[in-house]
Every structure is written in C-alpha cells, then in structure tokens.
C-alpha cells in the first residue's frame, strides 16, 4: 500500500536505479549465448528497503549465477508513473512490486502473468498465509503474491503523551478518547506540537473507520461500499480535530521534504501501515516512539490482515523462468527472509515468520509485538479492489485539500467527490 506524500518521513526515497553485480555460487541457467540472462526487478519504498532488498538480490544471484538482476526503486507516485509508461511501451520490469489498488488495472491490460498455473511448482504457495492471498487474486487467477502481512497502526510519542497528561492509547479506545488526548497535548505545548497529524485525506484510514462500522471501500461487484454521508461524517470528524487545534493545520500537514509532521516533531501521533515502521523511520526520535491500535467507533477494531504490497511478474517477460525463480526466492527463501526481515511487514510465509521472530529487534520488534497484540482482532483482507481504485485513492486526498484549507465545507466537498468517484468506477 502506498500512502500520501504527507507520510514522506517513512516512505521517502529518491528515484534511483541500481544494477546489482552478478556473483558466483549455486545453480541457475544461462542465456542462449552461454552468458547470464538479465531480468529487471523494481519496487517502491525507503532507502532502508532498497538496501536490504538489493542485499537479498545479491544472494539470489550468488545462488543463481546464470541470472543477472537489474534493480530499480522510487517513491510510490514516481514508481507508478514510470511503470505506466514502461508498460505502455512494452518495457515493464520482469518482476515488479504491485499495489492492490493498481493490480486489477494492470491485470485487465494483460500486463501481469497469471501465477496460478505456476503455484506449487515454480512458485511455492503452500506455506503462505491464506489471510493475505486475497488481494492478489481475481477469480481463479493469481496476479500477485503477498510480500508480507501488515495492518494499520498509530505511532505516537509516549513521552509527550505522558508529559501532557493524555490518557495512554489502549485497545478499545474511541475516537472521542483520541480527540481529548490530542487536544490536551496541543494545549499543553501551546500548539508547538499538535496531538495528531491530520488524518482526513488518507483513504486508507477512512477504510479502517468504515470497517469498524461493517462497511468497506468497495462492494463485491466493484461499486462504492459507502455513502456520500459517510464521507461527510469522516471529514467532519477530521475538521473537528483541526478546528479545535487537536490536529495539524494545513500548512503543517502539507507535503514537506523533511517528512511527516510526526517526523518533524510537529505532531505527537499519526497513522501508518506498520510495514513502514522500519529501523530508519523517524530518525529524530531514535526509535523512542510507541505503537497502538487505531481508535474505534464501536467494538470492532476495523483492522485487516493484508499484504502491504504484492509481487507480480510481467506477462510479456522474455525471461519468465528467471522471473518466477526470483519471485519464489523473494517470497519463500529462508535466507532471503532473514535479510529482508520485516521491511515489508511480517513475512507472509509462515515458516519464515516463525524463524525470524527470535531475531527481530528495535522497530521491527515493536511491529511484531503489535501484530501479536491485535492478532485476534484482524479481519481477512478484502479481495482486489476494482479498476480505478488507484485514481480514487488520489482523488480522496485531492478533494480533502479544500476541506483542510477551509475552502469548502465537508458536505459540499463530499458531494463533488462522491459524484466523480462514481464516474471513475463507471469507467
């Protein structure tokens, strides 16, 4: 899952392209001329994710000297802009990290290889957690394998919360509890630090709030799973926070190269996918932050067990065998899992998950413990969203900007957003 640029402190990474040199060792097949075949592997994410993924790729090539892998990484938006261009030009990477919001779009364009005929053969799937397989599946076809399991988490500064006298966030706390705690922090610091980062424009957080009420972003037949009134209520709640000074004003919430308001120590909490809680996240905090479940509407946590991203193979790859071999390695190899750790959430492979448990420390240990805390409450992830979901993700934030800067009311903005969202899904 890719989140709005306001989360840049956790997701930022410059657009780069890295060619990983071929090493020696184990098996693998070569090209027709006896030399190594070359495949491309691309993903989005942080510098830390790039570092360890390239390390895993080097191990893959050491085990498979007949395959050379050229890697590339970018921030989320730039990644999909480039991928769209490459796909249109017939030059997409052989192996690519895929978002659930874009999967159906690329599958419908016949850009992704159906992995179902290869499941249990070139690509092992028996040990993958069934809960996280749904987002990569359309009918009886598999277009993406889960790279991990993630849920949404609230990251907060426990020192500042305690100093301000705010009640500690615990499982079962409510949005009203959050409002009171955030306002107390803002007031206690003279609004030098706000209690919460403005959450109103992020569709991913709206999705959890809907789930807490038994709703979803989409219906089974690909229509909107919520009403215009739901959008109004969500944006009215976010406005209540902002107007009371409990959450960051627009000029602080807005994109900043230095990172999110929490990363810049201008807010004391924000929501994140727990797969972004990497060792290099929020360096200014020296990992002195805590994790808690999101506040809830009723008794339902609303949290899903979902893959933060998927791994797909280019349907038009000229080196499908090598691409499938790399895919299986990244998803299932225990040595790769030891290197990758929890950079993309808990490993989707159950054996690898248990194997790395004793070794995780620091930020990843916090995420592991958080997943254990919510294990009995997370729901099975929904199926792959309809075509156009990627557009709606951006559209939701675009319209919220009018609310965030008080250019329009939540009701008026929601009316315009909802009408356009329906048009997008209608195609």
């Amino acid at each position: 899952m890719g989140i709005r640029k306001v989360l840049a402190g956790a997701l930022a990474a410059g657009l780069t392209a890295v060619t990983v040199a071929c090493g020696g060792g184990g098996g693998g097949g070569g090209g027709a001329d006896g030399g190594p075949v070359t495949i491309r592997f691309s993903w989005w994410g942080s510098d830390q994710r790039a570092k360890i993924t390239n390390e895993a790729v080097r191990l893959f090539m050491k085990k498979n000297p007949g395959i050379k892998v050229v890697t590339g990484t970018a921030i989320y938006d730039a990644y999909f802009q480039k991928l769209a261009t490459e796909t249109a030009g017939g030059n997409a990477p052989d192996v690519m990290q895929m978002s659930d919001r874009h999967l159906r779009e690329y599958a419908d364009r016949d850009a992704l290889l159906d992995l179902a005929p290869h499941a249990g053969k070139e690509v092992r799937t028996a040990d993958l957690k069934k809960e996280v397989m749904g987002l990569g599946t359309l009918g009886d076809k598999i277009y993406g394998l889960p790279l991990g399991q993630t849920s949404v988490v609230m990251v907060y500064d426990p020192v500042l919360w305690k100093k301000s006298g705010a009640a500690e966030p615990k499982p079962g706390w409510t949005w009203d509890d959050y409002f009171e705690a955030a306002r107390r922090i803002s007031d206690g610091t003279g609004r030098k630090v706000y209690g919460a980062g403005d959450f109103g424009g992020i569709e991913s957080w709206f999705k959890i709030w809907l789930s807490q009420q038994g709703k979803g972003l989409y219906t089974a037949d690909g229509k909107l799973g919520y009403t215009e009134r739901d959008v109004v209520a969500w944006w009215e709640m976010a406005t209540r926070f902002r107007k009371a000074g409990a959450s960051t004003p627009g000029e602080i919430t807005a994109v900043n190269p230095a990172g999110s308001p929490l990363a810049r120590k201008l807010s004391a909490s924000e929501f994140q996918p727990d797969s972004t809680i990497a060792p290099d996240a929020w360096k200014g905090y020296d990992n002195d932050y805590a994790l808690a479940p999101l506040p809830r509407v009723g008794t339902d946590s609303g949290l899903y067990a979902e893959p933060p991203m998927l791994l797909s193979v280019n349907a038009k790859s000229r080196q499908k065998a090598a691409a499938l071999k790399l895919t299986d390695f990244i998803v299932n190899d225990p040595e790769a899992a030891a290197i990758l750790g929890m950079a993309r959430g808990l490993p989707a492979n159950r054996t690898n998950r248990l194997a790395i448990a004793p070794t995780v420390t620091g930020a990843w240990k916090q995420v592991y413990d958080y997943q254990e805390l919510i294990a009995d409450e997370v729901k099975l992830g929904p199926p792959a969203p309809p075509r156009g979901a990627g557009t709606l993700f951006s559209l939701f934030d675009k319209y919220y900007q009018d609310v965030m800067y008080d250019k329009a009311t939540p009701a008026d903005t929601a009316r315009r957003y909802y009408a356009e969202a329906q048009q997008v899904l209608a195609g």
Side-chain angles (χ1 to χ4, degrees):
M1 54 176 200
I3 302 304
R4 197 182 73 180
K5 292 176 184 176
V6 71
L7 307 181
L11 297 177
L15 182 59
T16 60
V18 181
T19 302
V20 183
C22 192
D33 61 357
V37 300
T38 299
I39 59 174
R40 292 168 52 224
F41 173 28
S42 297
W43 65 89
W44 72 86
S46 67
D47 290 336
Q48 173 67 13
R49 183 180 293 168
K51 178 182 177 181
I52 60 179
T53 304
N54 278 318
E55 184 180 346
V57 169
R58 283 191 288 271
L59 175 61
F60 170 79
M61 291 191 297
K62 183 177 180 180
K63 291 186 171 186
N64 299 273
I67 303 174
K68 179 180 179 180
V69 183
V70 178
T71 67
T73 182
I75 58 174
Y76 184 86
D77 288 343
Y79 174 84
F80 276 104
Q81 289 168 4
K82 183 177 182 182
L83 184 62
T85 301
E86 291 176 327
T87 301
N91 188 38
D94 300 274
V95 181
M96 66 195 85
Q97 197 168 276
M98 181 56 58
S99 160
D100 63 297
R101 289 182 176 86
H102 292 84
L103 181 132
R104 188 182 293 266
E105 174 186 352
Y106 281 85
D108 288 348
R109 292 161 61 184
D110 296 324
L112 304 181
L113 181 69
D114 177 16
L115 300 174
H118 307 280
K121 301 171 186 175
E122 298 98 321
V123 178
R124 294 162 289 173
T125 56
D127 214 18
L128 298 181
K129 295 278 288 183
K130 300 299 184 291
E131 295 90 333
V132 293
M133 287 291 289
L135 279 178
T137 302
L138 294 174
D140 59 354
K141 299 181 184 297
I142 302 174
Y143 290 109
L145 294 181
L147 278 171
Q149 176 183 319
T150 190
S151 292
V152 178
V153 64
M154 189 184 84
V155 189
Y156 71 100
D157 181 339
V159 175
L160 190 53
W161 276 57
K162 184 175 182 179
K163 183 178 179 180
S164 301
E168 181 182 359
K170 296 180 179 180
W173 69 316
T174 68
W175 289 95
D176 284 338
D177 293 334
Y178 188 28
F179 175 80
E180 293 301 331
R183 184 169 62 174
R184 180 183 288 268
I185 293 169
S186 296
D187 291 347
T189 65
R191 299 190 182 180
K192 292 181 180 178
V193 179
Y194 291 82
D198 189 343
F199 49 80
I202 312 297
E203 188 198 55
S204 300
W205 317 154
F206 176 58
K207 173 183 176 180
I208 301 301
W209 181 79
L210 288 173
S211 175
Q212 293 172 349
Q213 302 167 76
K215 302 179 182 181
L217 287 177
Y218 303 103
T219 62
D221 58 354
K223 294 182 173 60
L224 292 174
Y226 55 91
T227 67
E228 179 184 319
R229 182 59 211 168
D230 289 323
V231 184
V232 175
W234 172 253
W235 284 346
E236 284 181 340
M237 181 170 68
T239 300
R240 178 193 178 210
F241 272 69
R242 192 180 65 260
K243 293 284 190 181
S247 64
T248 50
E251 60 270 19
I252 291 178
T253 307
V255 176
N256 189 300
S260 69
L262 178 65
R264 287 142 52 206
K265 295 194 173 181
L266 296 176
S267 78
S269 66
E270 68 184 28
F271 305 149
Q272 289 277 359
D274 62 24
S275 58
T276 67
I277 315 298
D280 63 348
W282 305 290
K283 293 178 181 178
Y285 277 97
D286 297 322
N287 289 340
D288 187 16
Y289 49 78
L291 308 181
L294 271 63
R296 60 182 67 179
V297 174
T299 59
D300 191 333
S301 73
L303 298 172
Y304 291 102
E306 297 180 289
M309 61 279 297
L310 303 157
L311 200 60
S312 298
V313 174
N314 182 353
K316 297 178 176 60
S317 171
R318 296 181 180 180
Q319 305 294 346
K320 288 187 178 65
L324 288 167
K325 186 180 285 289
L326 176 62
T327 298
D328 180 73
F329 177 83
I330 294 296
V331 172
N332 292 305
D333 188 89
E335 291 183 85
I339 294 171
L340 296 171
M342 292 173 55
R344 292 175 172 87
L346 287 175
N349 183 296
R350 289 171 291 189
T351 300
N352 291 343
R353 180 180 300 191
L354 293 174
I356 72 164
T359 69
V360 294
T361 59
W364 284 343
K365 178 64 163 61
Q366 287 179 276
V367 174
Y368 193 94
D369 291 344
Y370 171 70
Q371 283 283 348
E372 289 293 300
L373 175 68
I374 65 172
D376 294 335
E377 292 193 313
V378 293
K379 304 176 182 180
L380 301 182
R387 187 171 184 174
T391 299
L392 294 197
F393 177 79
S394 299
L395 204 63
F396 194 83
D397 178 46
K398 175 185 174 183
Y399 273 95
Y400 181 69
Q401 300 299 304
D402 283 351
V403 178
M404 187 173 77
Y405 288 110
D406 295 317
K407 294 180 179 179
T409 65
D412 178 62
T413 310
R415 176 182 54 78
R416 291 184 288 114
Y417 161 76
Y418 200 79
E420 185 169 351
Q422 288 179 311
Q423 291 177 354
V424 169
L425 292 185

